[in-house]
Amino acid sequence: MKAVLLGGPGAGKGTQAAKLKEHYSIAHLSTGEVLREARSAGTELGEKAASYMDAGKLLPDDIILGIVGEKLDSPGMSGGFLFDGFPRTIPQAEGLDEMLATRGESLDAVISIEVPDNFVIERLLKRARIEGRPDDNRETIENRLRVYYEQTEPLKDYYRKRGLLKPVEGTGTVDEVFERITAVLGKGTDD
Ligand code: AMP
């Protein structure tokens, strides 16, 4: 199974990705998590990422594609993977297609988790109180939503045209959303 989880900030991508990773025994890559780890480790990447993240802006595509390219070559990815928070722009999606094509691979499905904006803002403000993520304040959240509509939403058309887009209703309990996603993805075997 090679799949992408698409959805705006706070759509529940990370939560679902963690469950799907277990369910299908596949690797999970969250570019946001890689960047947060780089930040806590104080690496050059982390320092560069911080200003973008705190402003709710996307990092340059070449940096993100570099991170993903490296991960794609790690042995854990060969049994299938789930990307969460990547791709986020058309150039990233094109870059991913190229990287997979050179490896003789392609995506099986793109799950788009659909949730209304007002729901997302409340959810993210709650997460800010619980987890203390520095990019979960109202101003950054509104920026991230704007960036999502401008740069990431067009990916739905990109993948719809390729017959890969599977929209899933993202409201309800974590388990309800998980059931909907697994119903769409099926058993996840290649046949
Ligand atoms: P996330 O955890 O996916 O919400 O990502 C948190 C932040 O990391 C985003 O608001 C961006 O600043 C940055 N980021 C994560 N993934 C990407 C990506 N694919 N492209 C550009 N920036 C990203």
Side-chain angles (χ1 to χ4, degrees), residues 104-118:
E105 297 174 353
S106 58
L107 290 175
D108 299 314
V110 175
I111 301 286
S112 164
I113 307 182
E114 310 280 337
V115 287
D117 283 0
N118 53 353

Side-chain angles (χ1 to χ4, degrees), residues 9-10 13 30-33 35-36 49 52-61 64 68 84-89 92 127 133 135 140 144:
K13 298 186 297 291
S30 153
T31 41
E33 239 163 64
L35 297 173
R36 277 187 288 282
Y52 289 95
M53 295 172 88
D54 291 347
K57 289 187 184 156
L58 297 183
L59 269 84
D61 291 327
I64 298 291
V68 174
D84 140 26
F86 169 86
R88 256 179 157 100
T89 64
Q92 289 182 21
R127 182 169 81 188
R133 261 179 62 164
D135 56 347
T140 309
R144 282 155 68 204

Side-chain angles (χ1 to χ4, degrees), residues 7 32 54 62 82 87 94 104 110 143 149 163 168-169 173 186:
D54 291 347
D62 57 338
L82 181 68
E94 289 169 346
V110 175
N143 246 339
Y149 284 115
V168 167
E169 174 67 54
T173 65

